[in-house]
């Protein structure tokens, strides 16, 4: 029984993303040897947190754009 080659690439991309976007919360060694279910849990939590950050930034940018418009008569 062997895993497909794509699995290794997928795993290392996930590990890179988690190390990069977790702001020092994880290191490569811990993630590589972490049980798969835990790693998937933390991956999804980081993904959700980043999506929420994006929504908040988009909301702030939309408010700033609308507040910055000047009405001309």
């Amino acid at each position: 029984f062997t895993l497909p080659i794509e699995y290794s690439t997928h795993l290392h991309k996930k590990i890179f993303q988690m190390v990069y976007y977790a702001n020092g919360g994880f290191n490569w060694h811990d993630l590589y040897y972490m049980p798969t279910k835990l790693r998937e849990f933390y991956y999804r939590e980081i993904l959700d947190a980043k999506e929420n950050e994006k929504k908040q930034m988009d909301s702030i940018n939309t408010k700033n754009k609308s507040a910055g418009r000047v009405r001309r008569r």
Side-chain angles (χ1 to χ4, degrees), residues 2 15-16 18 26 31 35 47-48 59 61 68:
T2 60
I15 289 174
F16 171 79
M18 291 178 74
F26 297 105
L31 289 169
L47 190 63
D48 290 344
S59 173
N61 288 336

Side-chain angles (χ1 to χ4, degrees), residues 25-53:
F26 297 105
N27 63 41
W28 186 91
H29 184 270
D30 291 344
L31 289 169
Y32 189 80
Y33 292 103
M34 184 181 287
T36 305
K37 287 187 179 190
L38 274 178
R39 187 170 52 238
E40 284 296 318
F41 170 78
Y42 288 121
Y43 182 78
R44 293 190 191 288
E45 288 295 314
I46 291 171
L47 190 63
D48 290 344
K50 291 298 178 181
E51 287 174 354
N52 287 336
E53 283 179 22

